Amino acid sequence: MSLPPNVKTLLEKNVHEDKPCHIRLTPRVGAYDKEIEVLIEEIKKGAKESYKLLPNGEANRILNYWNQFHKQFDYASFETFYIKNIFCRSHHMLDIKKEVFLTLIADRTFLFMEYNQHSTNEKYPTLLNVCQNHVLSECEEQANYIRDNGFAPTTAHRASYERLLENRRKLKEAIERRKEHIKRWKSNEALDKQDFSIDFGKTKRIGRRTKDTTIENLSRLFYAYLKAMVDRGYRYEYKKYASSEENADQKSVAKACAEDEWIREIGLVHQKLVKLNASGTALNPAIVYFDLFANYTSKLAKHKLTKYKFRMPSPNKRAEDRRVPLTISRKIECQIILYDYLLDLFFPNGDSSERAYAKYEFYAATHYQWYMHYQLPEKPKQRISSSEKQDSEAIQELPNFHLLPDLEDGVDELGHLIRRNIELCLPNGYEWLATDPLNARYYDNIHTKTLLLEEACLRLPSQRMITKVRNYIKEIQGSRNLLEEYARIEADPRKVIQLLNPICQEKEFYFYSEIALSEYAPISADRRVEYTRLILEHELRAQLNEAAHRELFHVAHRYFAKLFVTKDPFGISE
């Protein structure tokens, strides 16, 4: 296995350049830098299982994948090849192919050496060390391997590689699934034109008591939805239909609502749905009950719903904008949780294709593209009915609407997955900031995590260090473009420190939390400068990543916009 010709030419050119290469050296990957040779023995002693070398067969497979990616690009500079952030802001985004783009955003720490080098085995130098001739004499054999192959694959590299493949597989499957859903949506008759209407005054009534647990659960779900809209959705007009008193007997209230309130209306709709689906007309029951509960809330709660005709829920245009008022956003969240419970009731198999299509119907109808589904309780608590006739039946407690969002399950499945991969494909952590390897462990008594936790607890955002840093960057925009200065040297830790340290000293940034911690853990001036510089650099990197994200979102829109029901699924017009 050998390096792609374009990369080999680039490396040879870089080695012979007189100017130093502006690539970051970190405590681990800089172990062969002559200034920190004293750390070599410590690194060897602390080698972990995750950095074991792979057998030749596995190593060649991983190297081949890495080579196939990089040989497609005519890199203008070594930094563009080495640093992912710079690559994503380069001209390569103008003509990148769709399949290559999916690989790019599915990658985290494998394809680009800026991240890849952190998985290097302790006996091997990094590609940068080789280019800069920062190689110890006893490592010359390993250095030759790096010159020929780029890196020596380890178990850590394999984990990054497998993660890339898994992310890419999920993206491909989501794209194919979206195409199938669009085709099915267009081929089906318009659901809002189905002959599904009920005249509650003329239809035979259902008794107030029923042994149908589905109807009971639906009635209880509607009651829980009313309560959630009062507690979370600012719809206080529903308060008289759903008690929100904390001291109320929730057990008895839930039972009363399940058996005595909306059994009749929901039962009639349930009968109609059963007959319609038995006739061969497939109608998603979850979307029907969502329409009934969300669009006829007041009339159903008052028992004044005399007629009901199903209509597919109309799109919420305001929900297409990420900047939605809190009152509207909370209402939308309650509606999504309502639909999640309906899905769990009618499509209990989480992996079924019908459940996936039911989710697409909800997205296509509502346009809730920026929201996520919620994590329903896996094992909800159950109680036994007090009725002797139903002693054998387990009745669920009231559905809980105070749930955590499922970060991997967006209402717009494909859009959420693409956006999530783009946002996570440029990691920004402590290990990629400019630090002094020799002094990294010798801090004062106070620890950075303690300090930042104290900062996060400050009630006034203006007192937080990150706010001060952001305000400073905005203030100097007219006279000095600090972001552009940092972008030119972001890979060289020495130059980063030389640029940012004087700023932190001159501005005399201080942590407000020092007041509370000063008595038992005073922070020294040099440590204050170091901590402040780390926050400042992290913010600068975050802003550069944001610029790279915008480029990636434009590429995603170019290739996949036709797979969405909204005009701007990636927010590029904001």
Side-chain angles (χ1 to χ4, degrees):
M1 188 65 60
S2 60
L3 288 172
N6 60 325
V7 175
K8 186 174 293 186
T9 301
L10 194 66
L11 297 183
E12 292 174 353
K13 178 182 178 182
N14 185 72
V15 170
H16 292 91
E17 283 183 346
D18 294 329
K19 63 180 181 179
C21 177
H22 302 322
I23 304 297
R24 183 177 309 285
L25 293 173
T26 63
R28 176 174 176 75
V29 303
Y32 291 85
D33 192 307
K34 295 177 182 179
E35 296 180 9
I36 53 175
E37 290 179 6
V38 293
L39 297 181
I40 291 179
E41 292 304 319
E42 282 190 36
I43 293 176
K44 287 183 178 180
K45 291 179 182 179
K48 299 180 179 179
E49 292 293 319
S50 58
Y51 300 108
K52 277 190 172 182
L53 294 174
L54 295 176
N56 289 336
E58 281 190 274
N60 289 337
R61 175 168 55 89
I62 290 175
L63 286 171
N64 181 63
Y65 193 93
W66 185 83
N67 286 344
Q68 291 298 320
F69 177 84
H70 285 288
K71 75 178 185 180
Q72 303 174 76
F73 303 101
D74 183 17
Y75 294 110
S77 66
F78 190 78
E79 289 81 2
T80 308
F81 153 74
Y82 217 87
I83 300 175
K84 191 173 185 178
N85 187 303
I86 296 177
F87 175 83
C88 293
R89 290 183 281 120
S90 70
H91 69 280
H92 295 295
M93 292 297 100
L94 298 176
D95 55 0
I96 189 171
K97 298 178 181 178
K98 182 192 297 186
E99 295 299 319
V100 179
F101 171 74
L102 292 177
T103 303
L104 176 67
I105 65 174
D107 171 55
R108 300 293 183 268
T109 58
F110 174 69
L111 291 177
F112 288 83
M113 298 306 297
E114 174 191 13
Y115 303 116
N116 177 296
Q117 60 191 4
H118 287 265
S119 300
T120 301
N121 180 274
E122 73 278 358
K123 295 181 180 180
Y124 282 75
T126 67
L127 184 60
L128 174 65
N129 298 143
V130 173
C131 291
Q132 295 182 330
N133 292 319
H134 290 171
V135 180
L136 299 180
S137 56
E138 60 265 29
C139 300
E140 191 59 38
E141 181 181 349
Q142 292 89 335
N144 289 332
Y145 182 90
I146 299 301
R147 289 188 185 95
D148 294 337
N149 298 277
F151 65 97
T154 64
T155 49
H157 287 123
R158 181 177 60 191
S160 298
Y161 167 70
E162 291 175 349
R163 185 181 182 186
L164 184 160
L165 296 182
E166 176 65 13
N167 291 337
R168 198 180 189 284
R169 180 189 64 79
K170 290 180 179 179
L171 283 166
K172 292 290 291 183
E173 289 179 354
I175 292 171
E176 294 304 315
R177 189 159 49 244
R178 175 58 58 87
K179 291 178 180 178
E180 293 175 3
H181 290 165
I182 292 175
K183 185 177 180 180
R184 180 175 173 181
W185 177 269
K186 291 180 178 179
S187 63
N188 287 346
E189 296 182 10
L191 290 179
D192 58 353
K193 293 182 180 179
Q194 293 283 1
D195 184 16
F196 189 90
S197 59
I198 299 175
D199 188 336
F200 291 104
K202 297 181 180 180
T203 310
K204 183 180 178 180
R205 296 194 173 195
I206 289 181
R208 298 181 72 84
R209 288 189 176 274
T210 177
K211 292 184 179 181
D212 193 324
T213 55
T214 299
I215 298 176
E216 290 182 356
N217 288 334
L218 286 168
S219 182
R220 190 163 32 255
L221 176 59
F222 180 65
Y223 171 80
Y225 173 68
L226 285 174
K227 191 176 186 304
M229 290 295 282
V230 175
D231 297 340
R232 300 187 59 194
Y234 305 101
R235 299 301 297 269
Y236 301 116
E237 65 270 24
Y238 300 151
K239 191 172 184 179
K240 55 186 176 182
Y241 309 115
S243 173
S244 58
E245 297 179 3
E246 295 181 358
N247 297 326
D249 183 0
Q250 295 295 330
K251 191 172 182 179
S252 62
V253 171
K255 177 182 176 182
C257 292
E259 295 180 358
D260 300 330
E261 287 296 327
W262 298 285
I263 292 294
R264 173 178 171 269
E265 293 93 333
I266 294 175
L268 293 173
V269 175
H270 185 67
Q271 276 187 350
K272 182 78 173 181
L273 267 174
V274 171
K275 291 180 180 179
L276 188 64
N277 288 332
S279 66
T281 303
L283 192 59
N284 175 6
I287 205 75
V288 173
Y289 285 111
F290 175 81
D291 175 56
L292 177 65
F293 292 171
N295 295 332
Y296 295 86
T297 311
S298 296
K299 288 186 176 181
L300 184 59
K302 298 174 184 177
H303 300 287
K304 292 185 177 181
L305 185 61
T306 58
K307 293 183 179 181
Y308 170 66
K309 183 174 178 60
F310 169 70
R311 286 282 185 269
M312 181 63 71
S314 57
N316 189 334
K317 295 298 182 181
R318 300 191 70 177
E320 295 182 18
D321 190 342
R322 278 187 287 191
R323 297 182 292 271
V324 178
L326 180 62
T327 53
I328 297 177
S329 183
R330 287 288 183 85
K331 177 183 176 182
I332 291 173
E333 290 169 4
C334 290
Q335 291 182 348
I336 295 172
I337 296 175
L338 169 65
Y339 193 72
D340 286 342
Y341 276 114
L342 291 169
L343 284 175
D344 195 53
L345 182 61
F346 294 106
F347 303 94
N349 185 0
D351 298 328
S352 70
S353 59
E354 290 302 314
R355 181 184 174 102
Y357 182 68
K359 284 185 174 183
Y360 175 77
E361 284 184 312
F362 182 70
Y363 155 68
T366 61
H367 292 195
Y368 292 163
Q369 62 180 9
W370 302 109
Y371 294 85
M372 290 167 280
H373 288 286
Y374 286 79
Q375 301 177 29
L376 300 185
E378 293 183 3
K379 295 181 180 180
K381 294 181 180 180
Q382 296 182 335
R383 65 179 174 85
I384 302 300
S385 173
S386 60
S387 174
E388 295 181 358
K389 296 181 179 180
Q390 298 179 354
D391 283 342
S392 62
E393 294 185 8
I395 309 294
Q396 294 183 3
E397 292 284 2
L398 274 179
N400 178 19
F401 274 68
H402 295 276
L403 303 173
L404 293 174
D406 188 342
L407 300 180
E408 297 185 0
D409 188 8
V411 174
D412 172 13
E413 180 206 16
L414 178 60
H416 178 77
L417 189 60
I418 293 176
R419 292 191 299 267
R420 181 176 172 82
N421 273 274
I422 289 176
E423 290 165 356
L424 297 179
C425 75
L426 291 165
N428 183 17
Y430 172 79
E431 58 268 41
W432 295 291
L433 299 178
T435 56
D436 183 351
L438 286 173
N439 299 323
R441 347 184 186 8
Y442 306 111
Y443 290 111
D444 297 327
N445 293 332
I446 186 172
H447 195 278
T448 50
K449 293 179 181 178
T450 303
L451 190 63
L452 292 177
L453 284 173
E454 289 285 341
E455 285 277 305
C457 294
L458 292 175
R459 293 185 178 181
L460 297 178
S462 59
Q463 295 175 342
R464 298 171 187 165
M465 179 60 73
I466 185 61
T467 305
K468 298 175 184 178
V469 165
R470 288 171 178 168
N471 289 340
Y472 170 74
I473 295 175
K474 291 180 181 179
E475 289 172 3
I476 64 172
Q477 281 182 349
S479 58
R480 181 181 185 183
N481 192 335
L482 181 61
L483 189 63
E484 184 177 337
E485 291 182 47
Y486 173 76
R488 290 197 294 264
I489 62 169
E490 66 172 310
D492 190 333
R494 298 175 182 82
K495 291 193 175 184
V496 169
I497 293 174
Q498 292 171 4
L499 172 67
L500 301 183
N501 267 10
I503 294 175
C504 298
Q505 294 169 347
E506 179 185 352
K507 292 297 295 182
E508 295 185 349
F509 288 120
Y510 74 95
F511 291 87
Y512 190 85
S513 300
E514 290 181 45
I515 299 174
L517 303 173
S518 58
E519 184 172 343
Y520 68 90
I523 178 172
S524 63
D526 58 338
R527 289 282 77 89
R528 181 187 298 112
V529 170
E530 170 126 4
Y531 297 156
T532 305
R533 172 171 50 76
L534 291 175
I535 294 176
L536 177 56
E537 184 184 5
H538 186 275
E539 177 62 21
L540 292 171
R541 282 178 61 87
Q543 292 189 20
L544 290 175
N545 284 353
E546 186 178 349
H549 289 157
R550 286 196 295 269
E551 295 296 330
L552 294 172
F553 283 135
H554 276 87
V555 177
H557 190 274
R558 184 166 75 238
Y559 283 126
F560 305 111
K562 293 181 179 179
L563 300 179
F564 299 90
V565 298
T566 56
K567 294 181 180 179
D568 189 12
F570 303 107
I572 61 177
S573 62
E574 297 178 3

